[in-house]
Amino acid sequence: MTKNSSKGGLVYSTEVGRMCPACGQALAACVCKSQTRAAAIGDGVVQVSRQTKGRGGKSVTVVKGLALDPLALAVLGKTLRAACGSGGTVKDGAIEVQGDHCDMVMAALTKLGHSPKRVGG
């Protein structure tokens, strides 16, 4: 089955799955994706801190400074949340893990090859 968008472009094919609306290739072989890949947001200095401001008194472990593209940052965020057994999100180039898990996050980052630094009180 194929489904056409209002512009007339192919958006899905049963042979290859989802199609890129810009170049018409399968998403796995998309040409424009590699050209417009977002640059890394962080500076390479991995900082792990605990914050409570603006969160109703609840603490959140924040990881900033990772020099990764948004997709790799989301995958790393999922790995850290799973290691801590907690929820969280990725916002503005920073990974937020619910709860005070600074030690576990630092251990997981070290195991993955990063060199994190503890920042703040």
Side-chain angles (χ1 to χ4, degrees), residues 10 15-16 18-19 21 25 29 36 43 77 83 88:
L10 183 66
E15 292 178 22
V16 293
R18 293 216 174 262
M19 307 292 283
Q25 299 291 324
T36 61
D43 57 0

Side-chain angles (χ1 to χ4, degrees), residues 60-61 77 80-82 84-89 95-99 101:
V60 174
T61 303
L80 292 177
R81 291 191 311 268
C84 296
S86 177
T89 186
I95 299 172
E96 298 180 358
V97 180
Q98 294 174 352
H101 299 288

Side-chain angles (χ1 to χ4, degrees), residues 30-100:
C30 178
V31 192
C32 58
K33 178 175 67 173
S34 62
Q35 294 173 350
T36 61
R37 179 158 291 212
I41 297 172
D43 57 0
V45 179
V46 182
Q47 301 172 347
V48 179
S49 64
R50 185 179 63 89
Q51 293 180 352
T52 57
K53 288 189 176 181
R55 303 177 193 280
K58 305 208 183 221
S59 63
V60 174
T61 303
V62 181
V63 181
K64 294 181 184 177
L66 289 161
L68 299 172
D69 61 283
L71 182 63
L73 198 65
V75 170
L76 180 61
K78 182 173 175 86
T79 304
L80 292 177
R81 291 191 311 268
C84 296
S86 177
T89 186
V90 177
K91 287 185 187 174
D92 303 324
I95 299 172
E96 298 180 358
V97 180
Q98 294 174 352
D100 186 5

